[in-house]
Amino acid sequence: MRKLLLAGIAVALMATPAFAANYRFVIVPKAMNNPFFDFARDGCQKRAKELGNIECIYKGPVEHEPATQAQIIQDFITQKVDGLAISVADVAAMTKSIEAATAAGIPVITFDADAPGSKRIAYIGTNNKEFGLALGKQLLKMRPDGGKYAMVSGGPGAKNLAERVEGVREALKGSKWTEVAGSPTFCNDDPALAVQQMTDMRTATPDLAAIVPIGGWPMFAPEGFKAFASRNKKDIDSGKFTLVVADTLKMQLELLRDGYANALVGQRPFEMGEKAMDTLLAIKKGEKVPEIVYTGLDLVTKDNVAQMLK
């Protein structure tokens, strides 16, 4: 009887579906010092725990360094991980990295920032052209009278950021808004540098009527951003100077609530992390997945910021 029981257990184990094996999926942000990606990490880890058969590994460059990101991905290729989800810091560099991973039999998807000409299987994240349009339309709604404006961007090689810049310009085309020379600036995802660039732009152009950071970087240094906004608070309160900022992390919502900005347009990084795990698992199971999954936007002003903070 004992032999029969053991034999039965062995047969049952052999019959376990292939997808019940443990998978190591990696989420690779542009920069780990960017709190935006912490939410993608949290979504990834939450979904991996729910699925039960996945380990979510979160690792990227500490700062925005495309070459370091490429090296980290090469290390994971060597380790033969089961799947990669990459926020693309530089399209040219990552296209090569994605090709190397694919050649090694590792499925790759992108999240947050895409490399559409690469061999990635899917993209999960924001429609970045629509994101830029939403930022520009929000500024136009608040200030139809127009004026001079400037943008703050992150890395010059990131396609998602270029699409946002294009969207802002398209939304404001034909309006009374004009973009100043030297816009956008590139902070390389450095919060302190983003705040400094905003300060420099306002100093160089005293009649600058608006700044539109197309990522949340300056607000990720909340004390620095608060100091900048405080110096310009009179103009913000009177409607002479407007700040429409990308992303809706808690610190940003609090700054908006307290009157240090006029509006936020937010992404959904937590959902990006969740869907990245679902998508990589589906690929490993041999299922067909959508090539593009957009995760949507949130528009926040003083009218609904309290609700967003709940």
Side-chain angles (χ1 to χ4, degrees):
M1 176 65 75
R2 177 179 169 80
K3 290 182 178 180
L4 287 173
L5 179 60
L6 291 173
I9 292 172
V11 170
L13 289 172
M14 290 173 64
T16 301
F19 65 81
N22 289 328
Y23 292 120
R24 293 182 300 149
F25 294 151
V26 184
I27 190 163
V28 185
K30 291 180 187 177
M32 292 180 72
N33 67 349
N34 184 338
F36 174 87
F37 292 110
D38 292 348
F39 288 87
R41 174 203 63 200
D42 293 348
C44 166
Q45 292 179 346
K46 173 180 175 290
R47 190 68 182 125
K49 186 175 181 180
E50 290 170 349
L51 292 167
N53 58 336
I54 292 173
E55 177 187 2
C56 170
I57 302 168
Y58 175 76
K59 185 176 181 181
V62 174
E63 299 178 345
H64 185 281
E65 296 174 342
T68 303
Q69 187 182 46
Q71 183 57 58
I72 287 169
I73 290 168
Q74 183 56 53
D75 291 344
F76 282 122
I77 293 171
T78 302
Q79 293 173 36
K80 301 185 185 302
V81 296
D82 297 297
L84 290 162
I86 303 168
S87 177
V88 176
D90 182 273
V91 172
M94 280 304 99
T95 296
K96 294 177 182 177
S97 295
I98 292 169
E99 184 174 352
T102 302
I106 300 171
V108 179
I109 64 173
T110 56
F111 78 100
D112 170 61
D114 195 14
S118 70
K119 292 186 177 181
R120 63 96 171 109
I121 298 169
Y123 165 71
I124 298 167
T126 303
N127 181 327
N128 285 287
K129 180 69 175 294
E130 291 296 324
F131 193 9
L133 284 167
L135 287 163
K137 288 177 180 177
Q138 189 62 49
L139 176 59
L140 191 57
K141 181 180 178 180
M142 292 185 150
R143 293 282 302 279
D145 53 313
K148 298 176 182 177
Y149 80 96
M151 288 182 276
V152 177
S153 186
K159 180 176 173 58
N160 66 323
L161 302 182
E163 290 174 345
R164 294 180 201 176
V165 168
E166 182 184 348
V168 172
R169 288 172 176 163
E170 185 174 314
L172 298 176
K173 187 177 181 180
S175 74
K176 296 179 181 179
W177 284 100
T178 57
E179 186 176 0
V180 300
S183 170
T185 60
F186 296 99
C187 71
N188 288 316
D189 291 17
D190 183 330
L193 179 57
V195 173
Q196 185 59 53
Q197 289 175 342
M198 292 174 66
T199 302
D200 293 344
M201 286 189 289
R202 195 93 212 277
T203 301
T205 310
D207 61 341
L208 190 67
I211 297 179
V212 182
I214 60 167
W217 312 289
M219 282 182 152
F220 298 162
E223 294 307 314
F225 184 87
K226 189 183 293 185
F228 167 82
S230 294
R231 291 192 295 271
N232 296 279
K233 198 72 164 59
K234 184 178 178 181
D235 287 346
I236 293 172
D237 292 342
S238 67
K240 291 182 179 179
F241 183 57
T242 303
L243 292 167
V244 177
V245 186
D247 297 328
T248 50
L249 275 59
K250 184 181 179 184
M251 67 185 77
Q252 296 180 268
L253 295 170
E254 291 171 345
L255 288 165
L256 174 61
R257 177 199 62 195
D258 296 339
Y260 295 106
N262 300 96
L264 304 174
V265 180
Q267 306 176 80
R268 297 170 183 170
F270 190 89
E271 187 176 338
M272 294 179 200
E274 288 183 308
K275 290 186 180 296
M277 295 300 97
D278 289 333
T279 301
L280 285 171
L281 181 59
I283 292 168
K284 294 299 289 186
K285 291 164 64 176
E287 298 175 3
K288 185 175 176 59
V289 299
E291 182 181 358
I292 304 291
V293 177
Y294 290 135
T295 47
L297 298 170
D298 296 302
L299 304 179
V300 188
T301 65
K302 63 180 181 180
D303 296 328
N304 65 335
V305 67
Q307 181 65 32
M308 289 290 290
L309 276 166
K310 287 183 179 178

